Amino acid sequence: YLAGVGDGGSAEYADGLFRYNLVDEAVLYLLPLSYGGGIPLTGEFRSARWKLLGSKTFSNGICRLMYKRNG
């Protein structure tokens, strides 16, 4: 199942997926700009180990990071 996060409602849904350890892989996009805030993916910090599978930097400065949960 693929869940995309683009607003507060979908971030709350993603928080539930992380909370119940239902996320096996995560793809994060880092954008080189700031609007003063962001969308938190998890409501509170939960310890987990993730392995970086790969990364790619695009010509516009955006960076894609692909992670897989260890264990």
Side-chain angles (χ1 to χ4, degrees):
Y1 180 74
L2 175 65
V5 176
D7 59 19
S10 59
E12 185 176 329
Y13 178 69
D15 177 49
L17 295 175
F18 279 99
R19 183 179 307 268
Y20 293 104
N21 295 319
L22 298 173
V23 179
D24 296 323
E25 293 183 2
V27 178
L28 305 175
Y29 287 88
L30 301 177
L31 285 64
L33 51 100
S34 175
Y35 289 113
I39 301 171
L41 293 178
T42 58
E44 58 188 63
F45 179 77
R46 285 179 248 6
S47 180
R49 302 229 180 233
W50 295 86
K51 178 182 179 183
L52 181 64
L53 295 177
S55 64
K56 179 173 181 169
T57 303
F58 298 92
S59 61
N60 59 1
I62 293 175
C63 184
R64 179 180 67 206
L65 304 170
M66 296 161 287
Y67 290 94
K68 181 174 180 82
R69 179 185 288 274
N70 278 343

